[in-house]
Amino acid sequence: MASGDQMAEIVEPGDMEEVNEAQGLEDGSSLKSTMERNGKTQPDGPVKEKKLGMMKQFRESMKRVGERSLLASNSKGSKDRPYSDQGGDSIDPEVTSLTHQLPPTHSPSLSAGSPVASPLKSPDPSTIGDSLLKKGASIRRSLRLVGNKKDKTLKQEPLQSVTEVTVEEKREKKKEEINESLLLPEIPLIPPSGLTAGSPVGSPLKSPVGFFQIKEGGEIAEDSPPSQKKHSRTHSDPSTIGDSLLKKGASIRRSFRLVGNKKTLKQEQLQSVTEITVEEKRAGEESVEIKESYILPEIPLTPLSVMQINELIKTEVLEEAHLNLLSLRQEFQRERDECTEEASPMELAKKEKDLSILYRAMQEKVKEIVRNSNSLPSLNKELLMHVARVIQEEEKREAEPGGMVGLGDWRGAWREAVSEGVEATLKRVPLDRPEQNASWLAIHLGLLGKAIVENLEKVKRELQGSYPPSFNVFSTYMSCYHGAVSQHLNTLQQQVTDLKDYYALLDWIINRYESEKIMGSPSLRPEMEAEKTGLSLEEGFLDQLKGKYCMRAKEDMRASLDKILELENEDIWIKKQAPETDDEHFLNSDIHMDIWTNVKSNAVNSKRIDVNLEMRVVCSCLEELQQFPKRFETKLRYCCNSVENPSLWADYQITYINSFTALMEHMEGYRESCPTQVDHLSREVDGLVNRLVQSLEDQFKNDVRPYLRRMMTRKWLSTDEDFQQLYSRTEKLTHRCLQMRPPNVQTFLSCLHYYVVKEYVSQLMKNNYSCKNRKHDKAATKMRVQWDKLKDLFEEMTTHDWLHPVGDHLSNIIGETNKRDIKNHLKLLVADYPDISKKHLSAVLYFRGLMRGRERQAILQRFTELKRELGTAGNIGDNRRALFSDMQVTVTNTDRLADIPFFCFLLPDS
């Protein structure tokens, strides 16, 4: 084709006016101005006439070529393209190309006689004329967007063509003009890389040989070299040629989009000629629903060989393979039904075996495709459609009477393949071993839920549209996931040993699987609304798992308690470290907090799973906790037996009294859900606390016993050393007990007060000393002073305030100067302490120095009367105020004489 420079030399201004008039343009100087912009000058007059003659001759020759050229009748229309550097103009398909006036070797990619350069043959140009005219107009519109090399902008001006077609010639018969305009599409000035002159690939259109010269069986006939080929006219179907040319026209249009400015066109301008994107095309394909009904393609009369059918199955050409398989099946049925002599039983058996093998191969291939369909669902939509049609067709033929039945249950095989694919998906979820990662199960379950949602989203988005509605694809996959996940969980629970893993498994099954994170995900709606969202667990599986969870919680509770004992021994007992105090200045140990935290965490976690499970877990923990107080006491005494400091040992006891009391307060919160277990634990804890308190008392008793034993003796009367030791140890213990938590502190101090009072008074009952020579006055004074100190010590700490008057009553009796006036002090003593007996009073009188005589007998007689008057004779009164009943009295000879009646001591003269 001629370049822009060549045209500038050939075409004259006068010619342009004729061209513009023929094209309906207003401005005849458009081409002229264009050439001036490109730096082209107009040649002189003689040259113009010469060129004009050449143009006329060229026009006449082109008319003749249009009448006899096959290409002129078969071309899709002139494929316009930029012919010069000015870019914005293109050649109208109605205009005859000037290149035919140039030497035939002007194109680097086409040569005369080449099969690529040869025109396509057509029996009737008018058959496709209208179609080609439309295509040519479309190509012209697209070429108007080609950029200008200099302006770097797209020209929206009317196209100008270089031609000598006159207005009169344009007004000729329309059909002849169309036929004349159907020329070979122009070749781009810059040929694509890799194309050479004469190359059959370099031409936008294939030669007639490429289209029609094919041997029987699909093989292409061997051709002579391109230079020796002759272009003979063949009688082909015009529609076939038309479709081929339409496709070639589209290819040429795409090639034209790559032609234009040397610099890239703007993206906004390219959008007008951009075809449908891949995403839009895919979205359009996905939106098409596969219908339930279908039309089976025609079954071949003669099937392919068994090997060929098997190869089609292997290469997943299912539609063709199935049709040939049906043809082979029909052939077998005909031969079996005819039962001719020619059809030997051996041949029939062989063919039946071949059919069975092919059917099995087909079904296995179908299952393989279905199994892998969820991995790459977007790439096998058409393949899955063929799978569905195969299944549907085989289901129809299963009911054929008398016919050979295939493998059968194709829908069941499809479901089995879906289930196997789901199981394979679950197996691909990463799963660490417990020794590799402590959180192996929690991580795996999180990834498992994510994989389930993602795969069901693919099923909903892609696979569901690849099958007819009767397959219920989403429901089938949902059912398979329920079953596969249930089996997977059953396998997982066999590997679970830790409590946290049991919790993770139960929590995932009960709370997470049906939540919005997995089956209730908004991305799976509305399909999920009509589906069952629960797992297909085996009967009793969940209860068994809960039972294992409770047992593991109980075992962990025991291990935790053992660990608490070990830590207490290592951190406190071995080091003989003093206990710490809390913010309220109470001796404190973290034992109760550790135990309560353990039970509480198990209760809270299990409640998230199930309220009933919370009760079972708490009861299990409390049952194990019942054994702990005794184990703790044994360990404590074993480890602290070597503690020589009594104060440190007392601190330990007070500390653990506080700790176990606080522990029981925590456990009382579970009395409503586990009353039996709480009662048993309460008895065990109370027993431990009482034993610790008693141990503390025993330690104090052993400590002060030597000092109490020397009370109410001659030494006591002369020195205060023993009492000071008693008072000092009592005071120290009472202050230490202030670090004991209520209510134990009040109970313990009351017991301590009672013990000190009883033991102090008991020394009067031993008859170890008798105040003679008026020493009773000194003894009474000393007793009153010591008693006041003891009373002040326990004043604010004890609940046994009824013990305070006993010291005053006894001091008054002992210190009374007139023996007869002692009777006046008996009424208050008997009223406050009704359990006092005659023996107790006799011992007091003995200490006072009244070992015999009338006064002593008179006092005892008055005591007996008062007891009778107050109604306390023969009983000890209020048991809650029993003091003297617990005191042992040492009997003396004087006491024996006290039993003799008073009148026996009277003289005869009296």
Side-chain angles (χ1 to χ4, degrees), residues 299-362:
I299 300 175
L301 295 177
T302 303
L304 296 175
S305 66
V306 174
M307 297 299 295
Q308 289 175 321
I309 297 175
N310 188 50
E311 188 63 27
L312 290 176
I313 294 173
K314 288 181 179 180
T315 56
E316 299 182 351
V317 187
L318 296 186
E319 185 178 24
E320 185 177 353
H322 188 235
L323 290 175
N324 283 275
L325 187 56
L326 293 177
S327 176
L328 184 62
R329 178 175 175 176
Q330 291 178 354
E331 183 181 83
F332 168 75
Q333 289 175 341
R334 286 195 303 268
E335 293 178 359
R336 187 185 61 180
D337 295 340
E338 291 174 359
C339 295
T340 59
E341 295 180 357
E342 298 178 356
S344 63
M346 293 292 294
E347 292 295 329
L348 288 176
K350 180 181 179 182
K351 185 167 293 187
E352 184 177 12
K353 183 178 180 181
D354 291 341
L355 271 173
S356 178
I357 293 174
L358 289 176
Y359 263 108
R360 187 172 290 105
M362 173 65 79

Side-chain angles (χ1 to χ4, degrees), residues 81 114 200 209 229 339 362 385 392-393 402 407 409 430 489 505 530 608 642 672 715 733 742 752 755 760:
R81 54 154 289 131
S114 170
V209 175
K229 286 181 184 273
C339 295
M362 173 65 79
M385 182 186 69
Q392 285 180 300
E393 188 62 28
L407 294 179
D409 196 17
L489 294 177
L505 194 58
R608 293 173 184 169
S642 59
E672 184 177 354
K715 184 180 179 181
L733 180 59
L752 183 63
Y755 174 78
Y760 186 87

